[in-house]
Amino acid sequence: QVMLVESGGGLEQPGGSLRLSCVTSGFTFTEYDMKWYRQPPGKEREWVASVTRVDGVTNYSDSVKGRFSISRDNAKSTTYLQMNRLQPEDTAVYYCNAHRRFMGKDFAYWGQGTEVTVSS
């Protein structure tokens, strides 16, 4: 069965750092782009960062660019999100996503999320 398990969330002060991990199993990790999304309280889920399966190209939303860094370890089937210079606006539930296109259709798996709170 497919599993994506996030960890690393918690309470952090503004300006601090957290590293989120997403350990996956049950699918061919190297065939999937990996992405992080987040859902702030009272808001819709939004895309944060992605790293491609083939070339490892990374992309970031404007709100986190320069502060967050996504990476993947194919040997461990794990994706990370390094979050630096955290702001209160980063408070959200963070979700790991695995995505691929197959036969012209999109396929995706989701984790259950890990909560990040940035507060003094």
Side-chain angles (χ1 to χ4, degrees):
Q1 58 192 28
V2 172
M3 296 185 65
L4 290 77
V5 181
E6 301 99 331
S7 63
L11 176 64
E12 186 55 83
Q13 301 178 66
S17 298
L18 285 173
R19 189 183 75 157
L20 307 183
S21 298
C22 174
V23 180
T24 75
S25 60
F27 66 98
T28 305
F29 182 80
T30 55
E31 294 181 354
Y32 285 75
D33 295 340
M34 298 303 300
K35 302 178 180 180
W36 286 93
Y37 290 76
R38 69 184 183 186
Q39 186 168 18
K43 297 184 178 181
E44 296 183 346
R45 185 175 299 186
E46 63 182 3
W47 168 77
V48 174
S50 62
V51 56
T52 61
R53 57 171 178 148
V54 179
D55 298 319
V57 177
T58 59
N59 292 99
Y60 302 92
S61 67
D62 290 339
S63 61
V64 308
K65 190 175 301 181
R67 299 188 298 117
F68 290 10
S69 179
I70 188 173
S71 61
R72 64 190 298 158
D73 186 336
N74 289 335
K76 297 180 178 180
S77 298
T78 300
T79 297
Y80 305 94
L81 184 68
Q82 178 67 45
M83 306 186 296
N84 299 320
R85 307 201 310 276
L86 284 163
Q87 304 170 355
E89 301 81 67
D90 296 320
T91 296
V93 177
Y94 284 73
Y95 297 92
C96 179
N97 167 269
H99 169 262
R100 71 173 295 189
R101 178 171 292 178
F102 182 72
M103 296 294 188
K105 297 183 180 295
D106 292 328
F107 296 85
Y109 302 115
W110 292 89
Q112 294 300 307
T114 183
E115 186 173 358
V116 171
T117 301
V118 183
S119 178
S120 300

